[in-house]
Amino acid sequence: MPKPDNREDNVHRLQDAVQDTIENFREAKDYLNEFGDEISESEKEQILEKNERRKKSISGFREEIKDEAKHQREE
C-alpha cells in the first residue's frame, strides 16, 4: 500500500532549494567577475547558460511554493 502524500514540509524544502540555487547563482557570477578573463570562452558560456537555467529554476520553485502554500491553506 502506498504511503499517503505528506506535503507538510514541502514549502520549507522548496524555500531551501531556492536559497541554495540563489547562492550557487551568485557564486558563479562572482567567479566570472573574478576569473572571467582567465577562463576559456566555452567555460564562460557554460557558466552563463547554467545561471540562466538557475533563474528558470528559481522562478519554478517560487511558483511551486505558491501552490503548496495555497494547498496548505485549503486544508
Side-chain angles (χ1 to χ4, degrees):
M1 182 176 212
K3 289 177 154 181
D5 187 18
N6 182 357
R7 298 170 70 165
E8 289 181 20
D9 67 341
N10 283 1
V11 171
H12 179 72
R13 286 189 293 119
L14 288 166
Q15 288 172 333
D16 285 346
V18 168
Q19 288 304 107
D20 291 343
T21 305
I22 289 171
E23 184 177 327
N24 291 338
F25 177 88
R26 289 180 179 154
E27 286 176 4
K29 197 172 175 184
D30 291 345
Y31 179 83
L32 282 177
N33 288 336
E34 189 168 341
F35 301 106
D37 57 344
E38 300 173 25
I39 60 176
S40 69
E41 286 300 315
S42 65
E43 188 176 354
K44 281 186 214 179
E45 190 62 33
Q46 288 174 349
I47 293 169
L48 291 171
E49 288 172 3
K50 192 158 192 169
N51 265 3
E52 282 303 311
R53 290 191 300 273
R54 286 179 174 129
K55 284 184 200 178
K56 290 177 184 174
S57 292
I58 291 166
S59 177
F61 285 140
R62 287 181 172 153
E63 286 301 314
E64 285 187 62
I65 289 169
K66 288 178 191 176
D67 290 345
E68 287 297 325
K70 180 181 175 188
H71 176 76
Q72 287 179 0
R73 284 192 305 271
E74 291 173 354
E75 288 185 346

